[in-house]
């Protein structure tokens, strides 16, 4: 029982971080980078920072929704929660990075 709770709390913390990042993207005036330290390079690259931040925030919120669903699944089955967590950390992060690259080319 403790494993289910701990795994669910870890997933909820990840979901909260990505939801918060997604919401904060909408109110920032400068473009949000995927990796830390890339903000200065994006200022010169991105033409429409508001549109870029809106779509990037939506991508972060979708990724956070995946973590939220994983937290719910982990509460029922830790094995399923770990499997989905592995998928989110590999495939999910790759899809988020790919969306970032698409938005970067769209708003450059």
């Amino acid at each position: 029982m403790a494993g289910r709770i701990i795994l669910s709390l870890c997933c909820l913390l990840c979901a909260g971080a990505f939801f918060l990042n997604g919401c904060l993207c909408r109110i920032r005036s400068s473009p949000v980078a995927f990796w830390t330290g890339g903000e200065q390079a994006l200022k010169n690259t991105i033409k429409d920072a508001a549109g870029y931040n809106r779509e990037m925030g939506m991508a972060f919120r979708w990724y956070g929704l995946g973590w939220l669903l994983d937290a719910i699944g982990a509460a029922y089955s830790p094995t399923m929660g770990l499997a989905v967590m592995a998928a989110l950390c590999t495939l999910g992060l790759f899809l988020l990075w790919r969306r970032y690259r698409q938005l970067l080319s769209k708003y450059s």
Side-chain angles (χ1 to χ4, degrees):
M1 184 67 178
R4 292 177 184 188
I5 295 171
I6 292 170
L7 188 60
S8 292
L9 286 177
C10 290
C11 294
L12 282 175
L13 286 173
C14 288
F18 283 106
F19 276 125
L20 180 65
N21 194 15
C23 291
L24 292 178
C25 282
R26 295 190 317 184
I27 61 173
R28 286 193 59 179
S29 59
S30 61
V32 176
F34 186 74
W35 303 109
T36 59
E39 290 86 7
Q40 294 298 341
L42 285 180
K43 283 184 181 180
N44 300 329
T45 306
I46 302 296
K47 306 294 185 228
D48 179 20
Y52 168 80
N53 283 346
R54 183 178 54 250
E55 290 195 45
M56 197 64 194
M58 184 63 74
F60 279 125
R61 285 192 299 271
W62 276 108
Y63 190 61
L65 178 65
W67 281 101
L68 181 64
L69 293 175
D70 185 31
I72 294 168
Y76 291 109
S77 171
T79 306
M80 182 183 71
L82 284 172
V84 173
M85 181 184 287
L88 282 170
C89 289
T90 55
L91 180 63
L93 196 58
F94 171 73
L95 292 175
L96 183 63
W97 175 79
R98 194 174 76 180
R99 180 66 179 150
Y100 163 73
R101 299 299 296 178
Q102 288 172 350
L103 292 175
L104 196 59
S105 66
K106 178 180 177 182
Y107 287 100
S108 293

